[in-house]
Amino acid sequence: EAQVTQNPRYLITVTGKKLTVTCSQNMNHEYMSWYRQDPGLGLRQIYYSMNVEVTDKGDVPEGYKVSRKEKRNFPLILESPSPNQTSLYFCASSLILGGYNEQFFGPGTRLTVL
Amino acid sequence: EDQVTQSPEALRLQEGESSSLNCSYTVSGLRGLFWYRQDPGKGPEFLFTLYSAGEEKEKERLKATLTKKESFLHITAPKPEDSATYLCAVQANTGNQFYFGTGTSLTVIP
């Protein structure tokens, strides 16, 4: 089954404790992206990757890191989480074939930073 | 600055009562406009992609249209299972980012 998986689905942590949210897709998509979704602000893009070893900042990259060492995986790293990073996070992927196609989204990771 | 605005924020319809959702956008050259449906607690699910003014796409009770400044998602004779938040996103042809609107929360009452 074609899918984007994220882990963990729920996470409660404390300020400053480094964490990683994993994202994996099994569709051989080139494009992968991380979003955060906050009430009243909608989905905002954090980072995206056009392919292996190619990453770029989205609208809200501060406080986040990403890496793309393999095509299928795109982890999101919070080196020193703060309460303002409490949010619902989505990973997404898509093909780049003659232009951008639909993005497939993961189920989301709800993060609370105390 | 690239921007997407959706209206209304929330919409309540009786079952069978047709209506339209609006997505207005400001981008420096549109590469594509995307509609998604999002159910509570889930990731967005793709509905349509529109690329140029005048283009229309349909799927069951939904029809998406595009002009140079806005897109409409028309819902004909909605059913309760159409209740969801509908998201609009755009991509400019100057970059590889996606910009989402804040969505329209649709409730269809039986």
Side-chain angles (χ1 to χ4, degrees), chain B residues 42-74:
Chain B
K42 295 191 174 182
E45 180 183 328
F46 173 78
L47 292 173
F48 303 107
T49 307
L50 301 166
Y51 294 106
S52 57
E55 191 174 0
E56 298 182 352
K57 288 194 177 169
E58 281 188 74
K59 180 180 179 180
E60 295 180 358
R61 295 177 292 282
L62 300 177
K63 179 180 176 180
T65 62
L66 181 64
T67 72
K68 287 187 178 179
K69 292 185 178 180
E70 57 192 350
S71 176
F72 292 94
L73 185 65
H74 307 277

Side-chain angles (χ1 to χ4, degrees), chain A residues 69-106:
Chain A
K69 294 187 171 64
E70 304 167 284
K71 196 171 185 179
R72 64 184 296 130
N73 296 323
F74 191 45
L76 179 70
I77 303 156
L78 284 72
E79 295 266 1
S80 183
S82 63
N84 64 11
Q85 292 179 298
T86 293
S87 187
L88 179 58
Y89 291 86
F90 289 101
C91 179
S93 72
S94 70
L95 275 173
I96 306 175
L97 184 65
Y100 284 85
N101 295 279
E102 62 186 277
Q103 289 187 78
F104 289 80
F105 282 81

